[in-house]
Amino acid sequence: MEYELLWKFVTYIYYIGGLLLILKVYNTVTAGVCKTDKRLDGQVIIVTGSNTGIGKTAAFDFAKRGAKVILACRDLVKAHKTKDEIVEITNNKNVVVRHLDLSSLKSVRQFASEIIATENRLDVLVNNAGLGGIVDKKTEDGLEWALQVNHYGHFLLTNLLIDLLKKSAPSRIVHVSSMMHWLGRLDFDNMNFEKGINGFMIYNVSKLYNIIGSNEFARRLEGTGVTSNSLHPGIVHTEIMREVPFLIRQFVNKMLQLFFKSPEEGAQTTIYLAVNDEVTNVSGKYYSDCQEAYSSSITKDKEAGKKFWDKCCDFVHLKPEERFI
């Protein structure tokens, strides 16, 4: 009996190891690379959650190209450390740290007001910050925490900065989503998990919201010179699981380090959509590995997109005069 249990355990480990190896090979073979050497001198780029992971890598890249990079972060200590690293390595001193806590709509409004007051242009807004895990709690605004950080906060931020983006056209909005959106569901009567919550679905739903929102932005911004696209960065080793219990997080992080994409690999599609001339006039699309990919059918439903937009406006308390369309 003990031998049979041991054999089953070894077999499971063998298959799991095989699957992880296949994943590693797949990530290596399919990884897209943004190959353009385009300069960004004179441009202003905001990257949310840019003190670590994909956002940090993207910010480094933009600074190397000569852009003014605004690090929009909740943790100012880490953000200033990242700024110092970027300035030292790129010799671009035009890197700015601004406080942004996406779990607070008040903080989002304050951040947007500061940007409007201090910047004459905004060429690229990268909505990158994200939160994983299965934590079930509400923010001070009454929204589910991860939904607000991953989507609602960014939705409000983008709306508040639309005029500046229009003024700077051609300009771009880049939303970092995930292939996990395929597992998410849109329920108009449960958009803040009013009916109860399945913790494992929070992240998937928030990533679905990212794409639906991105596509609706694209429709409403048609003809303005402002584009809106979303992306799947790949299965990347980042700090997105920081709210998961310690022991689980440590185990997952070890697996991520061995088999998943590095932040440098995962940031390539973000950089591609923010920089490459190939997508200058492309809007309302979903990308993976620097090429267009398929998203779920609900993300393309125009009527659902309109209704979703109105619900989001209500959730983030956008005033009628702030709703640009």
Side-chain angles (χ1 to χ4, degrees):
M1 188 66 178
E2 290 181 358
Y3 176 79
E4 290 179 358
L5 289 174
L6 178 61
W7 178 248
K8 285 183 179 180
F9 176 75
V10 172
T11 302
Y12 288 143
I13 294 298
Y14 174 81
Y15 282 119
I16 292 172
L19 289 172
L20 289 173
L21 182 59
I22 291 172
L23 176 62
K24 177 64 176 178
V25 172
Y26 173 80
N27 281 336
T28 301
V29 172
T30 62
V33 178
C34 181
K35 298 178 181 179
T36 181
D37 58 358
K38 179 181 176 181
R39 295 288 301 175
L40 300 175
D41 301 280
Q43 291 199 17
V44 178
I45 301 180
I46 294 174
V47 186
T48 69
S50 44
N51 62 304
T52 186
I54 295 170
K56 180 178 179 178
T57 301
F60 259 101
D61 183 274
F62 302 146
K64 286 178 183 177
R65 298 173 188 271
K68 177 178 181 178
V69 183
I70 299 175
L71 310 178
C73 304
R74 179 180 59 85
D75 189 326
L76 292 180
V77 174
K78 288 184 177 180
H80 278 288
K81 182 179 179 182
T82 295
K83 172 189 172 180
D84 293 341
E85 292 176 15
I86 293 175
V87 171
E88 181 179 359
I89 293 174
T90 68
N91 201 32
N92 180 349
K93 297 181 181 180
N94 212 2
V95 181
V96 177
V97 172
R98 294 281 188 190
H99 181 258
L100 172 62
D101 182 355
L102 290 159
S103 69
S104 165
L105 298 181
K106 179 180 178 181
S107 175
V108 173
R109 286 186 173 277
Q110 183 175 350
F111 172 85
S113 295
E114 290 175 355
I115 294 299
I116 293 168
T118 58
E119 303 299 330
N120 294 319
R121 62 182 303 112
L122 176 57
D123 298 271
V124 184
L125 170 62
V126 181
N127 290 325
N128 164 81
L131 184 67
I134 56 176
V135 178
D136 174 16
K137 71 176 184 179
K138 294 290 193 294
T139 68
E140 63 188 34
D141 303 295
L143 296 171
E144 199 288 320
W145 192 33
L147 286 183
Q148 181 165 335
V149 171
N150 294 358
H151 172 71
Y152 289 121
H154 281 127
F155 179 83
L156 174 60
L157 175 64
T158 306
N159 271 278
L160 296 176
L161 295 178
I162 281 295
D163 286 342
L164 190 55
L165 285 160
K166 285 181 178 180
K167 175 185 173 183
S168 312
S171 53
R172 311 181 187 194
I173 309 167
V174 179
H175 308 264
V176 179
S177 181
S178 169
M179 67 181 293
M180 297 304 290
H181 82 273
W182 283 93
L183 300 179
R185 293 293 179 269
L186 176 60
D187 181 349
F188 287 115
D189 296 320
N190 197 36
M191 279 182 57
N192 191 38
F193 293 110
E194 296 90 344
K195 297 178 182 178
I197 190 167
N198 178 343
F200 289 98
M201 289 299 293
I202 298 174
Y203 181 78
N204 306 333
V205 170
S206 72
K207 296 293 103 178
L208 176 64
Y209 288 2
N210 290 159
I211 303 177
I212 298 174
S214 174
N215 290 347
E216 189 61 21
F217 270 113
R219 283 188 283 268
R220 292 168 184 259
L221 289 166
E222 187 174 355
T224 66
V226 184
T227 61
S228 175
N229 293 293
S230 57
L231 68 105
H232 167 58
I235 305 174
V236 186
H237 176 220
T238 69
E239 294 183 12
I240 197 169
M241 302 294 287
R242 60 186 176 274
E243 300 299 331
V244 172
F246 178 77
L247 291 178
I248 297 175
R249 183 171 73 248
Q250 289 296 96
F251 174 76
V252 171
N253 280 338
K254 293 299 181 183
M255 294 298 101
L256 291 176
Q257 289 173 352
L258 289 172
F259 300 104
F260 290 6
K261 285 184 179 180
S262 67
E264 289 71 26
E265 293 170 325
Q268 292 304 305
T269 307
T270 297
I271 296 167
Y272 173 80
L273 289 176
V275 173
N276 205 297
D277 288 334
E278 294 176 352
V279 291
T280 298
N281 298 313
V282 175
S283 193
K285 302 296 183 181
Y286 169 71
Y287 282 76
S288 178
D289 291 316
C290 299
Q291 57 186 343
E292 190 175 344
Y294 292 102
S295 61
S296 64
S297 59
I298 190 63
T299 65
K300 307 176 185 72
D301 188 318
K302 294 182 180 180
E303 290 305 313
K306 291 177 182 178
K307 186 174 181 179
F308 175 82
W309 179 277
D310 290 336
K311 294 278 286 185
C312 288
C313 286
D314 291 339
F315 277 126
V316 301
H317 310 299
L318 264 177
K319 303 170 186 175
E321 63 270 22
E322 293 175 323
R323 304 185 186 192
F324 67 95
I325 294 181

